[in-house]
Structure formats: structure tokens, C-alpha cells
Amino acid sequence: MDKINIDNMLAIEEPFIKVPLEQLRRAVRHTQKQVERETEAVSAEMAEILKSQYRLAPEELQSKLDGLIERLQTLRQDLERVTQEESQLIQRSKLRAADLHKLKGFESTTQPEFQHWCRQRLDRVLIDYMLRSGNLNTAQRLVESGSLEHFADTSLFAQVMSIESELKDAHSCQGALSWCAENRGALRKIQCSLEFELRLQEYVEMIRAKNTPAAILYAKKHLSPWSDTQMPRIQRAMTLLAFSPSTSCPPYKAMFDEARWTGLANEFRMVIFQLYNLPAQPLLHLLLQTGLSALKTFACLSEDPAEHNRNCPVCQTETLGKLAQDLPLSHHDNSNLVCRITGEKMDEDNPPMRLPNGYVYSLSSLTEMSATLDGKVKCPRSGKTFKLSEATKLFIS
Amino acid sequence: MDTLIRNCEKLSKHQNSSSTKTLLSISQAIEALQTARNNISSGSTPNTDDLVQAKQQVEKAQRQSDEHIRELYTNVSKYGKHVEKAFKLDLSTVGESKAFEDKRDELGYAILQHFLREGDFILAGEFARENKLDLPQDTKTKFEQMYGIVSKIRAEQHQLEDAIQWTVERREELDIQGNTGLEFTLHRLRFLQLVENGQATDALEYARLWFPRYSKDPGRMDEIKHLMGIFIYAKRLQSSPYAHLFTDQRWEQGARMFAAAFCASMGLAAMSPLGVTIDAGASALPVVCKVSGLMRDRKVEWSQQNELAVEVPLPDSMHFHSVFVCPVSKEQATPDNPPMAMPCGHVVCKASLEKLAHGVRPGTVAFGRFKCPYCPVMSSMADAKKVYF
């Protein structure tokens, strides 16, 4: 069973490949909008200038042209920067695809190169976990020690965390709203109401600051566009005007609750992950959960420490064992026997042998033992000694 | 994947040309504007031609850059389609497990153990600090000791004294564990090192000191006899029949062997448990995902079941416990339903045995006796003996 199942290995790497692609798509979209906007503005102004060229004093004309030149120069600068970013993202996509392509070159799970690749994957998964949890120093160290800059989505998570902290700590919707504006099309496709929630929160803050006239204007401008999907909530929001922030009436008290900011931050995280094809739970969780399940057996649950194998991750009672507590056991369609002495497989080539006291060991381990013990074998679990000839062969179909 | 690599290269070329062209047309517009502006001298009528020219360049820049960027976006989308084709699995079907809720600290400690075991003590400290975990001092000390010795083996000078001392001190313990190979490997490494350094006399003395204890082991003695012949070739090892003993990997192999023995002696796992689990997960996750995708309609969450729905094929190195599946009932053996061996040596679980026994009509001569499902040998409940794998 030492062959590598490449399709399975690749199946879980979707986010790895898709994230730079999504980042690239957004960068190009952003450029497109910016270039359109700026060139349109400059074009329109030029038309104006041509129309009114005889009515303008030369200095006025010059200064208008200077304005246009500056605008285009700024655009060019921005484009040069974005071009760099785009090209780096493409390079990153290529490097990641190349890393996955290496899998085709490995023949068996015991190859040192394959094991090295797996170690790197573990580091990648850990870096993703660290970035998600905000353990930035640890993430940075892991990236540096493994030279994994192109395999970590540091910039994306930096963006996520900056907007989150703006929501949670500074209680400001600014960054989140401008992100929503940039990604309106994609958000509409997934029918996401994050923008509405943000607008609602700003409205609530205006009421909290006792700025009623501004709140009403704000609602007219920013809440009413959502009336076909969010009418009941808009109505409740308007009713909020009649309550004070210290109200104890449950639905309105909930609207004034400061905890809503954390809720907004969480919702933002969920939405941006969805857009970038990142799983809601870290890949580390998913791999550990399914891995522990696949390894968990009855023996791991036993209270008897003799049943535990020190190499089995689920038997690490203090750490992974606790994590595996609520997870399903592994399923087996066929028997799989392991010798307690050597840890090797017991099958037709190395059959299981039953000692008179019922304990079973592999033929090879008993034979080796009897060579040093003068034809006798000692059962490690019970301490009893028997003759090798007393062991009977077992047949497991 | 190689499709993706090729498409990335294509995309890179497109992006390059698109951005160059866009920048060029914008630069041309800027130049035209600058010409128009510079040609305006105070007091005279504006130069319409210049202005018209500038306007035309601006409009050209607008058209062209729009065209180029659209083309680039199309190419990015094409690449996106190739990526879509490469990945069909939907990870969200397994993302709802609550099994790790409130277990953040346990996970933190598991990761911390991993960092300590890999010898990355600074990283471990950093992680512990960022997560407000206590660094497990005794684990740290054990691994620091191990890395102290292992790094000496791996270093340029390849110092083996500490490793040899540790091994000799624990000779009995290693013998009980069945690990007789480590000490000999280390002695052999040292012996070869001395020969390589031209210290033939020292090598001989070393051999005299350490090799005799293997005199009762015929396999080892053969190897030792073979090794002793190396003195003839002491001055030209690389061209001798012994050249294959001097590979660079021998140090890494020795270091790993020592690390494994050290871990065994400390009751620690030979390989990082976190690493093993992740590797198992890499095989398990796609399997669980596919099955979950099928189970979705019945609103059954995979992690709330008692057992996984399918078997996850794992390599032999990840089988740590014996699992017995009754060949008759296809059920896994449990402490309540243990495996039993019949006199013929075939093994079935107790429940299956009981079914076989009760299948015979009471009152007949053959009551309580039954034939083994796999061979002609007769057996009874009393003949069947418990088996402990």
C-alpha cells in the first residue's frame, strides 16, 4: 500500500491554486475600472477644453492641461505598480502548480523526497493556520525557515485582519464598505447582504450619537436601495429612532449591542473566504479531523495503557487523543494485524502465531526471540515463557 | 498540473504584452498633452492642431487600454477555467464538524509538541507566547538533549562521542527493546571515520575495544571480518571495494537511527504525531469528502457518526494497532465481541461462533458442534479459544 494516490493528494489543494488566481482577477478588474474612469475623465475634459479654447486665457489653458498631465502620470505610476503585482501573482501561480506537479515524479510513500514534500505541505498548512489565527510572528518564522514566501497567502490575510480590526477595535465600517464597493458584482452573485449590514451599523451609530436628522438622511440614501430584500429589517431600523441606546426592549437592545461589531467582523471573514475559495475551517482542522478518525481504533480508547502504541497519534492522550475524543472510529472492511513486538504486518508471509495464553505475535519476531532464548519465547505482555513449538499458526481470511 | 504550468506561462506573456501596450498608449497621450501645453506661449492664440492631436491621443489611449485590459481579463478567465477543471472536490461538505470546538488549547499543545520535536525551539517559544501556552519544560529538555547529540552527528565534524556514550549507557534497555543495531551502527561509523582520517592505528584500537562483544553474533561477525579488510585500502578508499560505505547519507541515517532510539527510550513516538496525522488526513479528507457529498441529502454530518462510512486506505507505516474484521460477519472485533480461534487455526468473532453453534438442532448428536466455515475441521464453543492481538 505504498503507492501514492495523486488524485487524492491534489484534490485537497484547491485553495492553494485558486487564491492567487482570485487575487489576480481582482487586480485586473480594479485596473480596468481605474483606467476606464481616469481616461474617460481626461477625455471629457479635453473635449471641454477644445470647445472653450478661445475663451480661456493662456495661463488657464496651461494649468488645465497640467492638471490632465498629472492625472495621467499618476495613472501610469499606479499601472506600473499593479503590473508588477499582476506579474508576481502569475509567477506565484506557476510556482504553486509546479510544486504540485512534483507529485507525479514520486513512486512510493517511503521515498525521502516524497517525505520532504509532505513536510513542506505540513509547514504550508501550519502557516495557513497561523495566519488565520493571527499568530503572525510564528507564521513569519515558518515562512522564512522554509523559504515558503510564494506558498503563503500573507498579503490576503493581512488585508482580512486590517479590515477586521477596523471593525472590531475602531468600530469603523470604512474599509469594509470600500471592499464591498470593489467587489459588488461578486457579492451580488452569492446574494450576500454584508453591505446592508454595514450600512445598518453606521445608521445605528448615528442614532447612538443622537444625530437623528443625519441618521434619517443616511437611511434614505443607503438603506432604501435594499428595500426589496430587507424591508422588515429596514422597518425595524426606522422604529429604532424612537428608542434610546439604553433601552431594555429586547429587539432594539440587540440592535444597539456593541457585540454586533464582532458579528460584522466574523461575517466579513466568512464572505471574503468564500470569495477566495478558502474553506471556512482551516485546512489544518479538516486534515486533523479526518486523519485522526482514519487512525482511531478501539485500542486507542482503552483505559489500559498496554493497549496504546507510542507511535499512534491518537494514543497521545494529552494532546491529539483529546482532539480525537468526539470523532468517529475508523472503518475497516478487512483485517489488518500488527505484531506488538516489531510493529510489522502479520499476513501469509509473516503469519500470526498464538501462544498458549492467547497472546499473538508474528512468526518472525518469535523466531528471532527463540534464537537468543534457547528455543523459548517470552510473552512481553504477560511475562510467561513458552517453547516456540507451543505456538500455533492462525489463519485470517 | 502541467496544463496549468503551461497556461501560466502563456498568461504571463499576455500580461506582459498587454501592460506594455497599455503603458505605451498612456505615455503617448501624456506626450501629446505635454506638447500642446508647451506650445502655448502667453499672449498668442492657442494652437488648435496641438489640442486636437492631444485629444485624439487621449481617446486612442482610452480605447486601446480598454481593449488590452479586456483581453487580459479574458485570458485570466481562460486560465480560471483550466483551474476549475483540475479541481472537482467541494471541501465545504466536511467543514461543519464541531469536533474541535473548545479544544483550541489542546490543538495548541499538539502543535507545540511538534515544533519541539522538530528541534525548532525558538519557533516553539514564539508560538507558545503568541497563544499564551505554557512551554512543557520536561519535553523541551528531552528534545534539547536529543538535538544536542543529533546536531553533533550532522555537523561538519561529525562528532559521535555523545551518541556512543548515551547508547552504551543504555545497552540493556536497548537490548530489551530489540534494538541491537544502533550501537553497532555508531561504532562502525566511528571506525570508518578514523580510517577515513588516516588514523589507521586508532581505528584498529577502536575495533579491538568495541567489536569483540559481537563475537557470538554470526551475522555481525561476518560484517566485522569484511570491515577489517579495509586496512589494505586505507590510502585509496575511494577506488576500493569499500567506497560505497562512505556516502554522505550515512550520517543522516545514523542521526535518524539515534533519534528513533532516543524517542523510543523516552516513550515518545518515532515520528511527529502531528505529521503522521496530517499525512493520514491527506488520504482521508478526499475520501470523507466524496462520501459526505453523497450523504448530504440525508442531513447526516460525518463527524457525528460512531464510525466512518468507508475505509481510508493507509500505508503500512500508519497501521499502529491490530484491527480484526470477522470474515463471516464483516464486523470489527470489540472488547465485547472478541476474536476467537478454532482448533484449525481459523479465527472468527465470538458472535459469529455463537451463531454457528446455535445453527445446529438441539437433541442431535452434533449439538453444539459445527464445521469451520473455511475448512472441514469440526469445532465447538468449548474448543474455541480467545485470541489477543
Side-chain angles (χ1 to χ4, degrees), chain B residues 148-149 152 159-168 186 258:
Chain B
I149 303 179
K152 286 203 182 117
Q159 290 165 304
L160 294 160
E161 299 89 43
D162 290 346
I164 293 175
Q165 185 183 7
W166 186 94
T167 314
V168 170
L186 291 173
F258 178 80

Side-chain angles (χ1 to χ4, degrees), chain A residues 136-313:
Chain A
L136 299 177
N137 288 335
T138 317
Q140 189 53 27
R141 273 194 176 276
L142 276 169
V143 166
E144 278 165 10
S145 67
S147 305
L148 297 170
E149 299 82 17
H150 289 293
F151 294 173
D153 297 316
T154 326
S155 57
L156 177 60
F157 283 102
Q159 186 188 20
V160 172
M161 288 185 50
S162 103
I163 295 184
E164 270 187 330
S165 96
E166 205 189 28
L167 286 167
K168 273 197 282 211
D169 307 323
H171 284 198
S172 155
C173 295
Q174 204 183 9
L177 279 169
S178 73
W179 182 85
C180 285
E182 284 249 353
N183 293 280
R184 213 164 258 148
L187 290 174
R188 211 176 318 138
K189 252 194 229 164
I190 58 173
Q191 296 179 320
C192 166
S193 60
L194 178 64
E195 198 174 347
F196 173 71
E197 299 291 340
L198 292 165
R199 294 289 182 200
L200 190 58
Q201 191 62 30
E202 286 201 322
Y203 168 78
V204 168
E205 293 305 316
M206 284 180 183
I207 299 183
R208 204 199 302 270
K210 297 195 180 12
N211 199 344
T212 318
I216 298 179
L217 276 172
Y218 189 87
K220 271 204 194 132
K221 183 165 179 210
H222 293 289
L223 294 184
S224 40
W226 294 87
S227 39
D228 40 345
T229 44
Q230 302 280 2
M231 198 36 135
R233 301 204 48 212
I234 297 178
Q235 286 172 334
R236 177 165 288 169
M238 297 321 291
T239 325
L240 193 66
L241 286 165
F243 290 84
S244 99
S246 49
T247 181
S248 53
C249 178
Y252 301 100
K253 181 170 181 217
M255 286 183 84
F256 278 119
D257 193 351
E258 300 273 355
R260 281 179 56 84
W261 286 105
T262 315
L264 282 173
N266 291 344
E267 176 145 3
F268 167 72
R269 179 176 270 241
M270 242 176 54
V271 170
I272 192 172
F273 278 6
Q274 203 178 346
L275 244 52
Y276 280 88
N277 257 280
L278 287 167
Q281 274 202 50
L283 194 57
L284 180 72
H285 278 199
L286 301 178
L287 289 172
L288 283 180
Q289 284 163 5
T290 50
L292 287 171
S293 254
L295 292 167
K296 191 176 176 190
T297 61
F298 279 110
C300 306
L301 299 173
S302 169
E303 308 259 306
D304 180 4
E307 288 296 309
H308 291 181
N309 182 331
R310 94 187 137 75
N311 285 315
C312 169

Side-chain angles (χ1 to χ4, degrees), chain A residues 1 8 10-12 14 17-18 21 25 28-29 32 35 39-40 42-43 46 50 53-54 61-62 65-66 69 72-73 75-76 79 83 86-87 90 93-94 97-98 101 118-119 121-122 129-130 133 135-138 141-142 281 284-293 295 297-300 307 309-313 315 320 322-323 326-338 340 345 354 358-360 381 393-397, chain B residues 1-2 5 8-9 11-12 15 19 23 26-27 30 33-34 37 40 43 46 48 51 55 58-59 62 65 69-70 72-73 76 79-80 83-84 87 89 94-95 97 99-100 103-104 106-107 111 114 118 122-123 126-127 130-131 264 267-270 273 276-279 281-282 284-286 290 302-303 305-308 310-311 313 315-316 318-325 332-334 341 344-347 374 385-389:
Chain A
M1 245 283 102
N8 274 355
L10 289 176
I12 58 177
E14 189 180 359
I17 296 291
K18 277 199 173 163
L21 168 62
R25 251 202 261 260
V28 175
R29 258 271 188 257
Q32 193 177 30
V35 168
T39 51
E40 174 57 42
V42 170
S43 205
M46 266 317 289
L50 263 174
Q53 60 180 293
Y54 298 109
L61 196 50
Q62 270 183 337
L65 288 176
D66 275 338
I69 291 170
L72 284 185
Q73 277 174 334
L75 178 63
R76 183 170 59 184
L79 278 182
T83 299
E86 287 169 2
S87 135
I90 298 178
S93 293
K94 183 168 159 202
H101 188 62
C118 288
R119 263 299 259 111
R121 175 181 58 197
L122 174 57
Y129 180 72
M130 300 299 160
S133 335
N135 293 350
L136 299 177
N137 288 335
T138 317
R141 273 194 176 276
L142 276 169
Q281 274 202 50
L284 180 72
H285 278 199
L286 301 178
L287 289 172
L288 283 180
Q289 284 163 5
T290 50
L292 287 171
S293 254
L295 292 167
T297 61
F298 279 110
C300 306
E307 288 296 309
N309 182 331
R310 94 187 137 75
N311 285 315
C312 169
C315 294
L320 291 170
K322 287 224 175 91
L323 289 172
D326 301 326
L327 290 170
L329 286 163
S330 55
H331 177 85
H332 294 268
D333 294 322
N334 295 296
S335 291
N336 208 303
L337 300 176
V338 170
R340 295 252 180 176
K345 194 158 142 180
R354 179 182 183 276
Y359 289 99
V360 176
R381 280 178 272 177
K393 192 152 119 173
L394 293 177
F395 301 92
I396 315 288
S397 303
Chain B
M1 284 298 125
D2 42 356
I5 300 177
C8 275
E9 286 172 352
L11 189 57
S12 174
Q15 189 262 352
S19 52
L23 284 168
I26 296 197
S27 292
I30 293 177
L33 283 171
Q34 280 172 332
R37 182 228 180 272
I40 296 171
T48 317
L51 290 176
K55 176 167 180 289
V58 167
E59 282 173 352
Q62 187 181 12
S65 53
I69 297 183
R70 265 182 217 282
L72 177 60
Y73 196 76
V76 172
Y79 172 70
V83 171
E84 282 297 320
F87 296 104
L89 206 64
V94 290
S97 170
F100 280 10
K103 295 217 174 106
R104 217 188 133 73
E106 280 86 346
L107 181 54
I111 298 177
H114 171 76
E118 298 298 307
I122 307 179
L123 187 63
E126 189 63 59
F127 180 69
E130 275 187 322
N131 286 284
L268 298 164
V276 170
T277 314
I278 295 286
D279 288 345
L285 182 57
K290 283 190 198 137
W302 77 274
S303 76
Q305 303 303 299
N306 266 336
E307 202 176 283
L308 285 178
V310 281
E311 178 161 10
D316 285 339
M318 290 191 202
H319 290 134
F320 300 109
H321 299 282
S322 289
V323 173
F324 178 72
V325 175
Q332 257 186 67
T334 68
C344 52
H346 286 113
V347 184
Y374 293 96
K385 303 241 169 61
K386 224 165 167 187
V387 163
Y388 302 96
F389 289 119

Side-chain angles (χ1 to χ4, degrees), chain B residues 249-375:
Chain B
Q249 283 94 340
R250 71 193 199 268
W251 299 111
E252 188 54 36
Q253 279 162 359
R256 278 181 204 277
M257 218 175 160
F258 178 80
F262 187 98
C263 287
S265 135
M266 294 280 160
L268 298 164
M271 309 283 304
S272 162
L274 190 74
V276 170
T277 314
I278 295 286
D279 288 345
S283 296
L285 182 57
V287 172
V288 173
C289 230
K290 283 190 198 137
V291 172
S292 266
L294 298 171
M295 274 160 58
R296 238 314 158 68
D297 319 303
R298 283 186 276 160
K299 293 210 192 302
V300 163
E301 210 265 306
W302 77 274
S303 76
Q304 284 173 340
Q305 303 303 299
N306 266 336
E307 202 176 283
L308 285 178
V310 281
E311 178 161 10
V312 176
L314 292 173
D316 285 339
S317 58
M318 290 191 202
H319 290 134
F320 300 109
H321 299 282
S322 289
V323 173
F324 178 72
V325 175
C326 176
V328 173
S329 61
K330 290 293 180 192
E331 279 176 357
Q332 257 186 67
T334 68
D336 295 326
N337 185 16
M340 310 280 285
M342 292 178 284
C344 52
H346 286 113
V347 184
V348 292
C349 68
K350 193 162 169 206
S352 297
L353 266 186
E354 282 166 357
K355 283 211 185 80
L356 285 169
H358 289 156
V360 185
R361 260 187 17 249
T364 63
V365 172
F367 177 54
R369 293 188 67 76
F370 49 88
K371 175 185 105 61
C372 161
Y374 293 96
C375 65

